[in-house]
Amino acid sequence: MSRKSAKEKLSGAEGFEQYYSELYGQRWPSLKAAFAGEGSAVEYHVTGAEQSYFLDSASVLAALCLPLENATDLLDLCAAPGGKTLVLASRMPKNATLSSNERSPERKHRLAKVVQTCLPPEISERVKTSCSDGATWCTRQSECFDRILLDAPCSSERHVISDPKYLNNWSPSRIKTVTTEQWALLSSAYRLLRPGGILLYSTCALCPQENDGMIERLYKKYNKDGTAFSLLEAEADLSQISDFTDIQLPGFEKTQYGYMIMPDNQKGAGPIFFSIIKKQKTCFTS
């Protein structure tokens, strides 16, 4: 039996353990121990808002790494439950608007409530929430946003390992399913991005196929000659978040096409992968 075939037959808690221990080797025990810890939740409170919002410090850092200077049309394509939308909205220029989308009606309802209660009216009135499949947006619009955040659905191993129901039902086929979904969303987001615009792609997955693998696929589809887009270095923009000087942001590790924030090295923060893509020219030919 080939190595690939053997991996495809893995399932449940035992299969999960074997798959990720082979992937991360000696690091896997420390990652599992970090998953069992408390995480790194921080309070994000925007002045004038009714309520605070608590989210992982890794999520704050990833959203801060999407530069917003001179941006006017922003999109959070898979926005629920809403933490990264808050980070974007609280930083966006005063003349900018943010479209915050979620495909699940139930999760979109929660997202809209977060926007209304965790942002002051002068900001929330510039945030439009919607409920649709982000993978199909590019069939109705194209190159109309200058900043896009795509926090894609993913394997979310930290949640899987903590829930016996999901752990017992795990198999590598789940990774195939989510990478198909991620690619549909990423290619849609790329088509929605204006030339000169910036896209931040992120997941909370450990699996390389869902992280660097997606950016590799984007290269093969749109950037074979290296001129269609470039990758930006991560730099958290702290200039517009004076209210949050007490938030301790984690560090990150460089990957082939982006960055990882790993809980074993960052006091429980993450895991999060993110890559920052600047589109240089249109992806449509005349």
Side-chain angles (χ1 to χ4, degrees):
M1 184 182 293
S2 69
R3 182 179 180 86
K4 181 178 180 182
S5 297
K7 278 197 170 185
E8 287 175 346
K9 289 184 176 297
L10 299 176
S11 64
E14 184 177 343
F16 181 93
E17 176 68 20
Q18 182 178 337
Y19 188 92
Y20 286 97
S21 63
E22 289 181 7
L23 195 60
Y24 280 92
Q26 294 182 349
R27 189 175 187 178
W28 180 236
S30 65
L31 278 169
K32 286 199 302 179
F35 288 164
E38 295 183 356
S40 180
V42 294
E43 181 180 5
Y44 201 85
H45 182 79
V46 183
T47 299
E50 295 176 22
Q51 298 179 12
S52 297
Y53 189 91
F54 289 84
L55 71 165
D56 193 305
S57 60
S59 295
V60 177
L61 177 62
L64 288 176
C65 285
L66 178 61
L68 300 185
E69 185 178 4
N70 298 322
T72 56
D73 300 297
L74 284 64
L75 172 64
D76 188 350
L77 193 56
C78 299
K84 292 185 180 70
T85 277
L86 295 182
V87 179
L88 294 184
S90 65
R91 298 170 48 229
M92 65 182 178
K94 294 185 183 300
N95 64 332
T97 58
L98 170 61
S99 297
S100 190
N101 179 68
E102 170 56 42
R103 69 179 180 182
S104 161
E106 182 179 350
R107 286 167 59 84
K108 186 266 181 182
H109 178 75
R110 180 183 175 190
L111 169 66
K113 185 174 181 180
V114 167
V115 167
Q116 291 303 313
T117 59
C118 298
L119 289 170
E122 63 271 20
I123 297 178
S124 64
E125 66 186 11
R126 292 186 286 124
V127 179
K128 178 184 178 181
T129 58
S130 59
C131 182
S132 65
D133 183 358
T136 67
W137 272 43
C138 65
T139 64
R140 302 185 297 274
Q141 299 171 266
S142 63
E143 298 190 337
C144 50
F145 294 98
D146 47 29
R147 297 294 186 276
I148 299 176
L149 190 150
L150 171 56
D151 185 25
C154 69
S155 289
S156 190
E157 293 92 346
R158 184 166 193 158
H159 297 292
V160 170
I161 203 171
S162 66
D163 189 322
K165 181 181 71 172
Y166 290 111
L167 186 59
N168 291 332
N169 289 326
W170 179 88
S171 76
S173 64
R174 170 62 179 159
I175 296 170
K176 290 184 178 181
T177 298
V178 296
T179 52
T180 298
E181 183 179 9
Q182 288 162 350
W183 174 244
L185 287 163
L186 179 56
S187 53
S188 178
Y190 187 75
R191 286 170 170 265
L192 290 167
L193 188 66
R194 290 172 178 151
I198 302 171
L199 162 67
L200 188 143
Y201 171 81
S202 70
T203 80
C204 59
L206 292 176
C207 189
Q209 297 98 302
E210 302 178 44
N211 298 332
D212 278 335
M214 283 295 109
I215 310 305
E216 175 75 25
R217 195 167 175 180
L218 198 69
Y219 265 98
K220 291 178 179 178
K221 175 70 174 179
Y222 294 108
N223 203 29
K224 292 179 181 178
D225 65 356
T227 64
F229 66 79
S230 59
L231 300 182
L232 302 184
E233 293 186 3
E235 184 177 355
D237 180 7
L238 307 179
S239 62
Q240 298 181 32
I241 59 163
S242 57
D243 289 351
F244 313 108
T245 53
D246 59 333
I247 291 179
Q248 298 297 309
L249 296 176
F252 43 71
E253 306 168 22
K254 188 73 177 69
T255 70
Q256 184 177 4
Y257 297 114
Y259 303 88
M260 287 290 297
I261 302 170
M262 299 291 269
D264 57 334
N265 284 345
Q266 299 299 328
K267 300 179 180 179
I272 277 186
F273 167 86
F274 65 96
S275 181
I276 312 163
I277 301 152
K278 183 171 184 178
K279 191 174 186 178
Q280 307 290 4
K281 62 183 183 181
T282 183
C283 57
F284 299 96
T285 56
S286 57

